[in-house]
Amino acid sequence: MNILIIENEIYLAQKIVSRLLDDGHSCDYIESPNIDNLTKEYDIILLSTSLPSALCKSIIKRYKEISIIILLVSYISDETVTNPIKDGAKDYIMKPFIMDELVRKLYHYKECRSIKRELQTLRDYVKFVMSDIDTSDVLLPPSFPILIESNSQMCSDKLVFELSRKIDMPITFISLNSTTWQKQINAVQFKSIIYLTDFHTLKRNAKENLIKLIEDKDCIISSLETEVDFPHRKIEFNNNNQLITNTNIMTINDYVKLMVLSYQTKYPDTELSKKLGISRKSLWEKRKKLGIEKKK
């Protein structure tokens, strides 16, 4: 990590620098900084609150979005701890302190920041890949068990993600394609939404066993087919933008017709026939046979 130590007690600062260098970190040390000369970016800043409060406030304001700021304090007061933490510092450590305790704090907050960044990246990714799925007219109640019938697994996923955030419960993901799904369900010990996918792949007796198993559990089941005999609450939510549904196997002619209708305005016939793996003459014959009007 790249660490800046701002401390006017020279002996303490040298001791911190020595320990952090031994741990393989890069360190800069200054006694009383000029705020205008601070141009580098740091992972962590160790800031002594024995400096003037206005200077501490300026440093925190500049670095709070990009650095983890830990206060080095001689005594606890509003000026040395409460106000700086309100301004954006993460934590404090009282002088004198054991060096191992300081190092523990550094790694703790570094890990927290990494987890936070990863979580935000994953949230952004989920939002990005599901951006075309509109759930504004769909309400998934926090009543369990419940079955979601959909032509798109992603539609079900988005509903479950939204419910998880709404009721502040984690999700345990279990695929019913797994040969150990029963053991996985029984192994869930902490309170979470048990999200079971691929219900449509089970045989009738397996579905009946599953329904008995999850009667008293916080469980959501996802199926890509219509489930007539499911005894609990069901919600149907389909993706109208999905070109191919999951519930039926299309004939070759139906597939060609769908692809031509969907992409003939995007590609010229030469490229469209190449993508379909047929000749341009065959594409013309397909249009004639299937009654596909050519659009410009």
Side-chain angles (χ1 to χ4, degrees):
M1 290 184 288
N2 195 19
I3 302 171
L4 172 64
I5 299 99
I6 305 175
E7 172 59 68
N8 52 12
E9 295 181 32
I10 299 176
Y11 174 76
L12 174 60
Q14 289 176 339
K15 186 177 179 182
I16 295 172
V17 169
S18 177
R19 172 59 188 272
L20 295 179
L21 289 176
D22 287 343
D23 285 356
H25 303 294
S26 174
C27 295
D28 287 339
Y29 159 60
I30 49 180
E31 291 183 51
S32 183
N34 183 336
I35 189 69
D36 295 327
N37 293 335
L38 295 176
T39 57
K40 290 177 62 176
E41 291 189 2
Y42 296 94
D43 298 306
I44 293 176
I45 294 178
L46 302 179
L47 175 61
S48 173
T49 54
S50 60
L51 296 173
S53 58
L55 180 57
C56 289
K57 187 178 182 71
S58 298
I59 294 170
I60 293 171
K61 182 179 179 180
R62 170 168 291 192
Y63 281 100
K64 65 180 180 179
E65 299 298 333
I66 58 175
S67 304
I68 299 165
I69 301 172
I70 298 178
L71 308 171
L72 308 177
V73 304
S74 301
Y75 60 93
I76 297 175
S77 68
D78 287 346
E79 185 177 344
T80 61
V81 174
T82 306
N83 294 335
I85 287 180
K86 285 181 180 179
D87 291 336
K90 290 297 182 185
D91 202 351
Y92 70 94
I93 189 168
M94 282 281 295
K95 304 175 189 176
F97 50 80
I98 299 172
M99 200 59 61
D100 285 345
E101 178 64 14
L102 174 63
V103 172
R104 186 197 65 79
K105 280 184 180 288
L106 301 187
Y107 283 109
H108 168 74
Y109 282 103
K110 178 178 181 292
E111 183 180 12
C112 287
R113 185 176 65 174
S114 296
I115 292 173
K116 186 176 180 180
R117 286 176 174 174
E118 182 179 5
L119 177 60
Q120 187 59 51
T121 299
L122 292 173
R123 283 180 174 173
D124 291 343
Y125 173 73
V126 169
K127 184 178 180 180
F128 172 73
V129 299
M130 296 183 175
S131 59
D132 64 335
I133 301 174
D134 182 11
T135 61
S136 58
D137 296 329
V138 183
L139 177 63
L140 190 61
S143 58
F144 306 101
I146 189 170
L147 172 72
I148 304 173
E149 296 175 345
S150 180
N151 65 347
S152 166
Q153 184 62 56
M154 198 172 291
C155 284
S156 298
D157 294 347
K158 186 168 185 178
L159 288 178
V160 175
F161 289 151
E162 289 180 347
L163 179 63
S164 170
R165 295 193 68 180
K166 180 180 179 181
I167 65 177
D168 193 24
M169 280 180 65
I171 305 172
T172 300
F173 297 88
I174 300 175
S175 171
L176 296 173
N177 271 326
S178 170
T179 57
T180 61
W181 60 262
Q182 289 176 299
K183 291 182 179 180
Q184 292 180 58
I185 293 174
N186 288 324
V188 177
Q189 297 180 346
F190 57 92
K191 189 171 180 62
S192 70
I193 297 173
I194 303 174
Y195 182 34
L196 306 175
T197 62
D198 307 304
F199 184 67
H200 55 281
T201 64
L202 296 181
K203 294 182 179 180
R204 184 182 181 87
N205 62 336
K207 289 181 178 180
E208 292 174 351
N209 291 335
L210 173 64
I211 290 170
K212 292 178 182 178
L213 181 63
I214 54 92
E215 282 181 345
D216 60 344
K217 299 183 184 299
D218 298 332
C219 184
I220 298 177
I221 302 172
S222 171
S223 177
L224 300 181
E225 296 179 358
T226 301
E227 305 294 343
V228 178
D229 298 326
F230 189 76
H232 304 291
R233 186 164 185 172
K234 295 192 295 183
I235 285 182
E236 182 180 349
F237 179 46
N238 292 315
N239 184 357
N240 296 325
N241 297 322
Q242 185 161 299
L243 292 176
I244 303 175
T245 65
N246 298 285
T247 55
N248 297 303
I249 297 177
M250 303 183 73
T251 65
I252 294 175
N253 282 337
D254 285 342
Y255 175 80
V256 171
K257 184 175 182 178
L258 177 62
M259 292 300 103
V260 173
L261 288 172
S262 301
Y263 294 106
Q264 65 179 349
T265 57
K266 184 175 181 180
Y267 300 110
D269 281 1
T270 302
E271 190 171 352
L272 182 58
S273 60
K274 184 178 179 180
K275 289 183 177 294
L276 289 170
I278 60 178
S279 66
R280 187 171 177 177
K281 181 180 178 182
S282 294
L283 177 58
W284 178 83
E285 292 173 346
K286 290 286 186 184
R287 274 206 176 95
K288 186 176 180 181
K289 179 180 178 180
L290 301 174
I292 304 172
E293 182 181 351
K294 184 174 181 179
K295 295 181 181 180
K296 297 182 180 180

